[in-house]
mmCIF file of all heavy atoms in Angstrom:
data_model
loop_
_atom_site.group_PDB
_atom_site.id
_atom_site.type_symbol
_atom_site.label_atom_id
_atom_site.label_comp_id
_atom_site.label_asym_id
_atom_site.label_seq_id
_atom_site.Cartn_x
_atom_site.Cartn_y
_atom_site.Cartn_z
ATOM 1 N N THR A 246 7.601 -20.819 -9.148
ATOM 2 C CA THR A 246 7.023 -22.169 -9.530
ATOM 3 C C THR A 246 8.022 -23.119 -9.959
ATOM 4 O O THR A 246 7.922 -24.329 -9.600
ATOM 5 C CB THR A 246 5.937 -21.875 -10.739
ATOM 6 O OG1 THR A 246 5.027 -21.019 -10.265
ATOM 7 C CG2 THR A 246 5.305 -23.236 -11.154
ATOM 8 N N ASP A 247 9.012 -22.628 -10.762
ATOM 9 C CA ASP A 247 10.081 -23.532 -11.169
ATOM 10 C C ASP A 247 10.892 -24.021 -9.967
ATOM 11 O O ASP A 247 11.233 -25.284 -9.914
ATOM 12 C CB ASP A 247 11.010 -22.874 -12.170
ATOM 13 C CG ASP A 247 10.322 -22.557 -13.507
ATOM 14 O OD1 ASP A 247 9.288 -23.167 -13.728
ATOM 15 O OD2 ASP A 247 10.810 -21.733 -14.211
ATOM 16 N N ALA A 248 11.109 -23.155 -8.993
ATOM 17 C CA ALA A 248 11.894 -23.568 -7.824
ATOM 18 C C ALA A 248 11.139 -24.552 -6.934
ATOM 19 O O ALA A 248 11.721 -25.491 -6.475
ATOM 20 C CB ALA A 248 12.248 -22.344 -7.013
ATOM 21 N N VAL A 249 9.858 -24.411 -6.801
ATOM 22 C CA VAL A 249 9.017 -25.246 -6.026
ATOM 23 C C VAL A 249 8.944 -26.678 -6.694
ATOM 24 O O VAL A 249 8.816 -27.648 -5.951
ATOM 25 C CB VAL A 249 7.632 -24.666 -5.756
ATOM 26 C CG1 VAL A 249 6.700 -25.727 -5.155
ATOM 27 C CG2 VAL A 249 7.778 -23.403 -4.879
ATOM 28 N N GLU A 250 8.986 -26.766 -8.012
ATOM 29 C CA GLU A 250 8.773 -28.082 -8.673
ATOM 30 C C GLU A 250 9.957 -29.048 -8.290
ATOM 31 O O GLU A 250 9.801 -30.219 -8.531
ATOM 32 C CB GLU A 250 8.732 -27.880 -10.205
ATOM 33 C CG GLU A 250 7.421 -27.316 -10.632
ATOM 34 C CD GLU A 250 7.281 -27.299 -12.179
ATOM 35 O OE1 GLU A 250 8.376 -27.244 -12.798
ATOM 36 O OE2 GLU A 250 6.161 -27.086 -12.718
ATOM 37 N N LEU A 251 11.052 -28.460 -7.814
ATOM 38 C CA LEU A 251 12.240 -29.312 -7.403
ATOM 39 C C LEU A 251 11.741 -30.182 -6.223
ATOM 40 O O LEU A 251 12.300 -31.254 -5.989
ATOM 41 C CB LEU A 251 13.376 -28.490 -7.080
ATOM 42 C CG LEU A 251 14.042 -27.695 -8.244
ATOM 43 C CD1 LEU A 251 15.149 -26.882 -7.707
ATOM 44 C CD2 LEU A 251 14.516 -28.642 -9.338
ATOM 45 N N PHE A 252 10.799 -29.654 -5.445
ATOM 46 C CA PHE A 252 10.360 -30.433 -4.215
ATOM 47 C C PHE A 252 8.956 -30.992 -4.316
ATOM 48 O O PHE A 252 8.651 -32.049 -3.739
ATOM 49 C CB PHE A 252 10.372 -29.429 -3.040
ATOM 50 C CG PHE A 252 11.739 -28.810 -2.750
ATOM 51 C CD1 PHE A 252 12.013 -27.535 -3.334
ATOM 52 C CD2 PHE A 252 12.751 -29.441 -2.188
ATOM 53 C CE1 PHE A 252 13.191 -26.895 -3.098
ATOM 54 C CE2 PHE A 252 14.017 -28.905 -1.981
ATOM 55 C CZ PHE A 252 14.214 -27.587 -2.440
ATOM 56 N N SER A 253 8.076 -30.261 -5.099
ATOM 57 C CA SER A 253 6.687 -30.706 -5.150
ATOM 58 C C SER A 253 6.192 -30.258 -6.528
ATOM 59 O O SER A 253 6.179 -29.079 -6.887
ATOM 60 C CB SER A 253 5.877 -30.149 -4.145
ATOM 61 O OG SER A 253 4.485 -30.497 -4.212
ATOM 62 N N THR A 254 5.590 -31.247 -7.327
ATOM 63 C CA THR A 254 5.083 -30.833 -8.604
ATOM 64 C C THR A 254 3.610 -30.665 -8.622
ATOM 65 O O THR A 254 2.869 -31.157 -7.739
ATOM 66 C CB THR A 254 5.522 -31.966 -9.688
ATOM 67 O OG1 THR A 254 4.872 -33.177 -9.280
ATOM 68 C CG2 THR A 254 6.984 -32.066 -9.730
ATOM 69 N N GLY A 255 3.121 -30.143 -9.665
ATOM 70 C CA GLY A 255 1.634 -30.018 -9.953
ATOM 71 C C GLY A 255 0.976 -28.712 -9.326
ATOM 72 O O GLY A 255 -0.249 -28.555 -9.518
ATOM 73 N N ARG A 256 1.801 -27.794 -8.839
ATOM 74 C CA ARG A 256 1.233 -26.678 -8.217
ATOM 75 C C ARG A 256 2.012 -25.408 -8.788
ATOM 76 O O ARG A 256 3.249 -25.437 -8.876
ATOM 77 C CB ARG A 256 1.201 -26.618 -6.698
ATOM 78 C CG ARG A 256 0.161 -27.556 -6.187
ATOM 79 C CD ARG A 256 0.227 -27.649 -4.722
ATOM 80 N NE ARG A 256 1.099 -28.636 -4.313
ATOM 81 C CZ ARG A 256 1.164 -29.098 -3.015
ATOM 82 N NH1 ARG A 256 0.404 -28.611 -2.077
ATOM 83 N NH2 ARG A 256 2.048 -30.048 -2.702
ATOM 84 N N ASP A 257 1.265 -24.262 -9.014
ATOM 85 C CA ASP A 257 1.839 -23.036 -9.512
ATOM 86 C C ASP A 257 1.815 -22.017 -8.326
ATOM 87 O O ASP A 257 0.936 -21.993 -7.507
ATOM 88 C CB ASP A 257 1.127 -22.410 -10.739
ATOM 89 C CG ASP A 257 1.199 -23.417 -11.891
ATOM 90 O OD1 ASP A 257 2.142 -24.140 -11.925
ATOM 91 O OD2 ASP A 257 0.288 -23.367 -12.756
ATOM 92 N N ILE A 258 2.827 -21.130 -8.368
ATOM 93 C CA ILE A 258 2.894 -20.078 -7.460
ATOM 94 C C ILE A 258 2.531 -18.727 -8.205
ATOM 95 O O ILE A 258 3.061 -18.471 -9.265
ATOM 96 C CB ILE A 258 4.324 -19.850 -6.807
ATOM 97 C CG1 ILE A 258 4.708 -21.182 -6.118
ATOM 98 C CG2 ILE A 258 4.325 -18.803 -5.774
ATOM 99 C CD1 ILE A 258 3.759 -21.656 -5.072
ATOM 100 N N VAL A 259 1.536 -17.939 -7.654
ATOM 101 C CA VAL A 259 1.213 -16.688 -8.211
ATOM 102 C C VAL A 259 1.509 -15.501 -7.241
ATOM 103 O O VAL A 259 1.055 -15.538 -6.061
ATOM 104 C CB VAL A 259 -0.273 -16.617 -8.632
ATOM 105 C CG1 VAL A 259 -0.689 -15.301 -9.192
ATOM 106 C CG2 VAL A 259 -0.516 -17.836 -9.558
ATOM 107 N N VAL A 260 2.185 -14.493 -7.701
ATOM 108 C CA VAL A 260 2.523 -13.312 -6.928
ATOM 109 C C VAL A 260 1.610 -12.111 -7.680
ATOM 110 O O VAL A 260 1.829 -11.832 -8.792
ATOM 111 C CB VAL A 260 3.883 -12.918 -6.835
ATOM 112 C CG1 VAL A 260 4.125 -11.586 -6.036
ATOM 113 C CG2 VAL A 260 4.733 -14.070 -6.284
ATOM 114 N N SER A 261 0.773 -11.472 -6.906
ATOM 115 C CA SER A 261 -0.088 -10.455 -7.502
ATOM 116 C C SER A 261 -0.242 -9.249 -6.533
ATOM 117 O O SER A 261 0.047 -9.427 -5.270
ATOM 118 C CB SER A 261 -1.478 -11.040 -7.749
ATOM 119 O OG SER A 261 -2.129 -11.524 -6.551
ATOM 120 N N PRO A 262 -0.612 -8.114 -7.000
ATOM 121 C CA PRO A 262 -0.760 -6.970 -6.117
ATOM 122 C C PRO A 262 -1.931 -7.198 -5.101
ATOM 123 O O PRO A 262 -2.858 -7.860 -5.428
ATOM 124 C CB PRO A 262 -1.149 -5.803 -7.096
ATOM 125 C CG PRO A 262 -0.765 -6.276 -8.434
ATOM 126 C CD PRO A 262 -0.937 -7.810 -8.418
ATOM 127 N N VAL A 263 -1.680 -6.688 -3.886
ATOM 128 C CA VAL A 263 -2.800 -6.751 -2.880
ATOM 129 C C VAL A 263 -3.838 -5.715 -3.227
ATOM 130 O O VAL A 263 -3.527 -4.517 -3.506
ATOM 131 C CB VAL A 263 -2.271 -6.468 -1.459
ATOM 132 C CG1 VAL A 263 -3.452 -6.370 -0.482
ATOM 133 C CG2 VAL A 263 -1.306 -7.563 -1.149
ATOM 134 N N ASP A 264 -4.999 -6.171 -3.273
ATOM 135 C CA ASP A 264 -6.198 -5.253 -3.649
ATOM 136 C C ASP A 264 -6.665 -4.524 -2.343
ATOM 137 O O ASP A 264 -7.189 -5.154 -1.454
ATOM 138 C CB ASP A 264 -7.331 -5.999 -4.254
ATOM 139 C CG ASP A 264 -8.406 -5.111 -4.707
ATOM 140 O OD1 ASP A 264 -8.140 -3.976 -4.877
ATOM 141 O OD2 ASP A 264 -9.608 -5.610 -4.943
ATOM 142 N N ASN A 265 -6.366 -3.242 -2.264
ATOM 143 C CA ASN A 265 -6.805 -2.331 -1.108
ATOM 144 C C ASN A 265 -7.782 -1.344 -1.656
ATOM 145 O O ASN A 265 -7.393 -0.192 -1.814
ATOM 146 C CB ASN A 265 -5.572 -1.661 -0.505
ATOM 147 C CG ASN A 265 -4.726 -2.674 0.229
ATOM 148 O OD1 ASN A 265 -5.218 -3.514 0.968
ATOM 149 N ND2 ASN A 265 -3.430 -2.547 0.045
ATOM 150 N N PRO A 266 -9.035 -1.811 -1.888
ATOM 151 C CA PRO A 266 -9.964 -0.817 -2.462
ATOM 152 C C PRO A 266 -10.341 0.216 -1.358
ATOM 153 O O PRO A 266 -10.316 0.012 -0.194
ATOM 154 C CB PRO A 266 -11.149 -1.654 -2.797
ATOM 155 C CG PRO A 266 -11.103 -2.831 -1.845
ATOM 156 C CD PRO A 266 -9.626 -3.050 -1.739
ATOM 157 N N TYR A 267 -10.648 1.417 -1.886
ATOM 158 C CA TYR A 267 -11.182 2.490 -1.004
ATOM 159 C C TYR A 267 -12.598 2.118 -0.532
ATOM 160 O O TYR A 267 -13.373 1.554 -1.303
ATOM 161 C CB TYR A 267 -11.317 3.803 -1.774
ATOM 162 C CG TYR A 267 -9.962 4.473 -2.073
ATOM 163 C CD1 TYR A 267 -9.451 4.551 -3.408
ATOM 164 C CD2 TYR A 267 -9.209 4.952 -1.138
ATOM 165 C CE1 TYR A 267 -8.217 5.197 -3.687
ATOM 166 C CE2 TYR A 267 -7.981 5.622 -1.243
ATOM 167 C CZ TYR A 267 -7.494 5.715 -2.645
ATOM 168 O OH TYR A 267 -6.278 6.247 -2.846
ATOM 169 N N LYS A 268 -12.740 2.344 0.787
ATOM 170 C CA LYS A 268 -14.097 2.073 1.282
ATOM 171 C C LYS A 268 -14.985 3.282 0.856
ATOM 172 O O LYS A 268 -14.527 4.364 0.869
ATOM 173 C CB LYS A 268 -14.123 2.045 2.801
ATOM 174 C CG LYS A 268 -13.384 0.765 3.343
ATOM 175 C CD LYS A 268 -13.306 0.702 4.812
ATOM 176 C CE LYS A 268 -12.624 -0.457 5.397
ATOM 177 N NZ LYS A 268 -12.637 -0.630 6.820
ATOM 178 N N PRO A 269 -16.194 3.029 0.481
ATOM 179 C CA PRO A 269 -17.059 4.074 0.038
ATOM 180 C C PRO A 269 -17.146 5.123 1.102
ATOM 181 O O PRO A 269 -17.432 4.891 2.272
ATOM 182 C CB PRO A 269 -18.454 3.324 -0.097
ATOM 183 C CG PRO A 269 -18.078 1.875 -0.401
ATOM 184 C CD PRO A 269 -16.853 1.631 0.446
ATOM 185 N N ALA A 270 -16.831 6.353 0.748
ATOM 186 C CA ALA A 270 -16.979 7.541 1.674
ATOM 187 C C ALA A 270 -18.240 8.233 1.455
ATOM 188 O O ALA A 270 -18.569 8.733 0.400
ATOM 189 C CB ALA A 270 -15.771 8.366 1.412
ATOM 190 N N LYS A 271 -19.028 8.323 2.636
ATOM 191 C CA LYS A 271 -20.379 9.003 2.503
ATOM 192 C C LYS A 271 -20.038 10.510 2.934
ATOM 193 O O LYS A 271 -19.062 10.887 3.582
ATOM 194 C CB LYS A 271 -21.340 8.396 3.491
ATOM 195 C CG LYS A 271 -21.702 6.936 3.120
ATOM 196 C CD LYS A 271 -22.787 6.534 4.075
ATOM 197 C CE LYS A 271 -23.240 5.108 3.552
ATOM 198 N NZ LYS A 271 -24.290 4.536 4.379
ATOM 199 N N ALA A 272 -21.033 11.319 2.463
ATOM 200 C CA ALA A 272 -20.895 12.754 2.761
ATOM 201 C C ALA A 272 -21.081 12.888 4.301
ATOM 202 O O ALA A 272 -22.034 12.417 4.879
ATOM 203 C CB ALA A 272 -21.966 13.514 2.028
ATOM 204 N N SER A 273 -20.254 13.708 4.968
ATOM 205 C CA SER A 273 -20.414 13.984 6.362
ATOM 206 C C SER A 273 -20.114 15.422 6.557
ATOM 207 O O SER A 273 -19.571 16.022 5.752
ATOM 208 C CB SER A 273 -19.443 12.978 7.084
ATOM 209 O OG SER A 273 -18.094 13.339 6.761
ATOM 210 N N PHE A 274 -20.371 15.865 7.816
ATOM 211 C CA PHE A 274 -20.388 17.319 8.122
ATOM 212 C C PHE A 274 -19.836 17.471 9.558
ATOM 213 O O PHE A 274 -19.821 16.538 10.309
ATOM 214 C CB PHE A 274 -21.744 17.883 7.973
ATOM 215 C CG PHE A 274 -22.390 17.569 6.719
ATOM 216 C CD1 PHE A 274 -23.218 16.457 6.599
ATOM 217 C CD2 PHE A 274 -22.267 18.474 5.630
ATOM 218 C CE1 PHE A 274 -23.858 16.257 5.308
ATOM 219 C CE2 PHE A 274 -22.893 18.156 4.409
ATOM 220 C CZ PHE A 274 -23.648 17.032 4.269
ATOM 221 N N LYS A 275 -19.371 18.655 9.822
ATOM 222 C CA LYS A 275 -18.802 18.996 11.188
ATOM 223 C C LYS A 275 -19.373 20.353 11.529
ATOM 224 O O LYS A 275 -19.851 21.161 10.716
ATOM 225 C CB LYS A 275 -17.309 19.017 11.207
ATOM 226 C CG LYS A 275 -16.716 20.110 10.402
ATOM 227 C CD LYS A 275 -15.155 20.255 10.583
ATOM 228 C CE LYS A 275 -14.521 21.441 9.893
ATOM 229 N NZ LYS A 275 -13.085 21.597 10.188
ATOM 230 N N VAL A 276 -19.383 20.592 12.881
ATOM 231 C CA VAL A 276 -19.750 21.903 13.350
ATOM 232 C C VAL A 276 -18.615 22.564 14.040
ATOM 233 O O VAL A 276 -17.882 21.940 14.755
ATOM 234 C CB VAL A 276 -20.879 21.744 14.400
ATOM 235 C CG1 VAL A 276 -21.291 23.088 14.961
ATOM 236 C CG2 VAL A 276 -22.142 21.009 13.769
ATOM 237 N N SER A 277 -18.396 23.874 13.764
ATOM 238 C CA SER A 277 -17.293 24.615 14.374
ATOM 239 C C SER A 277 -17.797 26.027 14.603
ATOM 240 O O SER A 277 -18.962 26.361 14.269
ATOM 241 C CB SER A 277 -16.107 24.733 13.433
ATOM 242 O OG SER A 277 -16.396 25.233 12.231
ATOM 243 N N VAL A 278 -17.054 26.745 15.389
ATOM 244 C CA VAL A 278 -17.515 28.098 15.846
ATOM 245 C C VAL A 278 -16.473 29.070 15.256
ATOM 246 O O VAL A 278 -15.316 28.945 15.410
ATOM 247 C CB VAL A 278 -17.630 28.199 17.311
ATOM 248 C CG1 VAL A 278 -17.941 29.646 17.744
ATOM 249 C CG2 VAL A 278 -18.538 27.246 17.871
ATOM 250 N N VAL A 279 -16.895 30.101 14.579
ATOM 251 C CA VAL A 279 -16.129 31.144 14.007
ATOM 252 C C VAL A 279 -16.260 32.432 14.966
ATOM 253 O O VAL A 279 -17.301 32.962 15.035
ATOM 254 C CB VAL A 279 -16.456 31.534 12.549
ATOM 255 C CG1 VAL A 279 -15.576 32.707 12.138
ATOM 256 C CG2 VAL A 279 -16.326 30.366 11.706
ATOM 257 N N ASP A 280 -15.157 32.753 15.691
ATOM 258 C CA ASP A 280 -15.214 33.860 16.633
ATOM 259 C C ASP A 280 -14.159 34.847 16.054
ATOM 260 O O ASP A 280 -12.955 34.706 16.232
ATOM 261 C CB ASP A 280 -14.766 33.429 17.952
ATOM 262 C CG ASP A 280 -14.998 34.484 18.973
ATOM 263 O OD1 ASP A 280 -15.305 35.631 18.579
ATOM 264 O OD2 ASP A 280 -14.758 34.153 20.232
ATOM 265 N N GLY A 281 -14.692 35.912 15.388
ATOM 266 C CA GLY A 281 -13.727 36.825 14.762
ATOM 267 C C GLY A 281 -13.074 36.237 13.549
ATOM 268 O O GLY A 281 -13.741 35.808 12.625
ATOM 269 N N LEU A 282 -11.738 36.050 13.600
ATOM 270 C CA LEU A 282 -11.067 35.450 12.449
ATOM 271 C C LEU A 282 -10.604 34.018 12.782
ATOM 272 O O LEU A 282 -9.986 33.414 11.991
ATOM 273 C CB LEU A 282 -9.858 36.308 12.147
ATOM 274 C CG LEU A 282 -10.091 37.731 11.695
ATOM 275 C CD1 LEU A 282 -8.771 38.496 11.449
ATOM 276 C CD2 LEU A 282 -10.897 37.735 10.453
ATOM 277 N N VAL A 283 -11.062 33.538 13.970
ATOM 278 C CA VAL A 283 -10.613 32.197 14.377
ATOM 279 C C VAL A 283 -11.704 31.263 14.403
ATOM 280 O O VAL A 283 -12.819 31.476 14.828
ATOM 281 C CB VAL A 283 -10.052 32.351 15.830
ATOM 282 C CG1 VAL A 283 -9.614 30.922 16.330
ATOM 283 C CG2 VAL A 283 -8.883 33.288 15.929
ATOM 284 N N GLU A 284 -11.499 30.069 13.787
ATOM 285 C CA GLU A 284 -12.451 29.003 13.753
ATOM 286 C C GLU A 284 -11.998 27.884 14.670
ATOM 287 O O GLU A 284 -10.818 27.425 14.561
ATOM 288 C CB GLU A 284 -12.671 28.466 12.304
ATOM 289 C CG GLU A 284 -13.567 27.304 12.125
ATOM 290 C CD GLU A 284 -13.864 26.849 10.768
ATOM 291 O OE1 GLU A 284 -13.444 27.578 9.791
ATOM 292 O OE2 GLU A 284 -14.337 25.737 10.585
#
């Protein structure tokens, strides 16, 4: 902000963490085949 005021006044610069929220994960299922000891 201080550096920018040398060229343009009246505005502030803010650096903040990017918000990357987890998307809601719904319960889901899969089908597989167990043949002996192998799935």
